[in-house]
């Protein structure tokens, strides 16, 4: 079974509270989401392998550690996932960015892929799928299926806020994918919105309704 890592650092909790407030505008919402993504990136990459190299400081030569060539990729689920990308690439500028777009079929209610553009060496990379909201889990689970169908083997899911129902769906369908999340909220309401949540992340991010 995949692990659920709740990253509840005080700075993340504080910024998330500001994001939840309904009077927070799009500009502040975008900035806060990017800042939280950067803070979460610190934890998501905690286990990256290191190697020792020899360098020379102004004082002397010494051995010091660098990341051991691990290839990373960030894959936002459109549209709201876009708001988390800058936070990751600001800390890991060498990572590549893919994009995956889904919509829900009005008749079957199942996610349908309408766009997918990934780095050519995606199968060799550790992919970090980002989406602020993990509500029903349908979109995240489907996006991970689409990535696996393209040969991706090492995947992590990073979300801002999730409901227990969505977490359970992803864990059931992808027991090999760890979930990193800033807050697990109470439940989903009748319209599949997270309660208390923060509303529609995409609309609040881009100022649409």
């Amino acid at each position: 079974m995949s692990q659920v890592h709740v990253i509840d650092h005080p700075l993340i909790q504080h910024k998330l509270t500001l994001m939840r407030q309904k009077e927070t505008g799009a500009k502040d919402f975008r900035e806060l989401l990017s800042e939280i993504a950067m803070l979460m990136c610190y934890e998501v990459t905690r286990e990256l392998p290191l190697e020792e190299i020899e360098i020379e400081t102004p004082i002397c030569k010494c051995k010091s550690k660098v990341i051991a060539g691990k290839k990373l990729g960030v894959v936002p689920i459109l549209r709201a996932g876009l708001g988390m990308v800058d936070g990751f690439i600001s800390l890991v500028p060498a990572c590549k960015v893919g994009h995956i777009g889904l919509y829900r079929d009005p008749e079957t209610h199942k996610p349908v892929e309408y766009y997918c553009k990934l780095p050519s060496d995606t199968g060799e990379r550790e992919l970090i799928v980002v989406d602020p909201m993990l509500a029903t889990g349908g979109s995240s689970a489907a996006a991970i299926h689409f990535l696996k169908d393209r040969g991706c083997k090492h995947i992590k899911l990073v979300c801002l806020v999730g409901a227990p129902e969505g977490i359970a769906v992803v864990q059931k369908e992808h027991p090999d994918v760890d979930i990193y999340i800033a807050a697990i909220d109470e439940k989903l309401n009748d319209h599949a919105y997270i309660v208390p949540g923060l509303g529609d992340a995409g609309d609040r991010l881009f100022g649409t309704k």
Side-chain angles (χ1 to χ4, degrees):
M1 180 63 71
S2 65
Q3 288 187 300
V4 179
H5 307 266
V6 180
I7 305 174
D8 57 356
H9 188 283
L11 286 173
I12 291 178
Q13 293 187 60
H14 175 83
K15 294 175 185 295
L16 179 54
T17 295
L18 297 177
M19 290 184 70
R20 289 186 191 272
Q21 294 173 333
K22 63 181 181 180
E23 62 268 22
T24 299
K27 175 181 178 293
D28 290 335
F29 193 93
R30 280 194 295 269
E31 291 175 354
L32 289 163
L33 179 56
S34 185
E35 289 167 2
I36 291 176
M38 186 187 303
L39 291 165
M40 294 184 75
C41 177
Y42 179 84
E43 288 296 332
V44 173
T45 56
R46 177 174 288 279
E47 296 178 2
L48 285 178
L50 296 170
E51 63 182 355
E52 199 169 63
I53 63 170
E54 185 174 284
I55 62 168
E56 188 168 355
T57 76
I59 309 301
C60 64
K61 290 184 178 180
C62 71
K63 293 188 182 297
S64 194
K65 293 177 179 178
V66 294
I67 294 172
K70 185 78 171 180
K71 292 183 175 181
L72 297 179
V74 178
V75 182
I77 298 177
L78 304 178
R79 353 173 240 164
L82 291 171
M84 300 179 72
V85 172
D86 284 350
F88 275 84
I89 61 177
S90 62
L91 286 188
V92 192
C95 77
K96 292 188 177 179
V97 181
H99 297 85
I100 188 161
L102 308 171
Y103 71 89
R104 192 170 301 279
D105 186 286
E107 294 183 4
T108 66
H109 302 294
K110 292 184 178 179
V112 178
E113 175 190 318
Y114 68 86
Y115 184 79
C116 188
K117 182 76 171 178
L118 301 172
S120 58
D121 59 351
T122 296
E124 303 168 21
R125 292 181 178 269
E126 181 173 294
L127 296 185
I128 302 169
V129 177
V130 295
D131 193 5
M133 312 303 286
L134 181 55
T136 65
S139 294
S140 294
I144 294 168
H145 277 302
F146 293 141
L147 293 175
K148 287 180 175 179
D149 289 345
R150 288 171 168 82
C152 305
K153 302 178 183 66
H154 308 289
I155 303 171
K156 295 178 178 178
L157 175 64
V158 181
C159 303
L160 187 67
V161 177
E165 297 93 326
I167 291 171
V169 166
V170 173
Q171 285 190 305
K172 180 181 179 181
E173 295 192 24
H174 302 286
D176 57 328
V177 175
D178 282 357
I179 301 169
Y180 294 78
I181 199 161
I184 300 175
D185 280 10
E186 181 185 342
K187 61 180 181 180
L188 295 178
N189 66 14
D190 293 340
H191 300 287
Y193 275 86
I194 300 172
V195 178
L198 47 74
D200 187 300
D203 284 344
R204 297 195 65 188
L205 190 62
F206 298 111
T208 55
K209 294 203 175 178

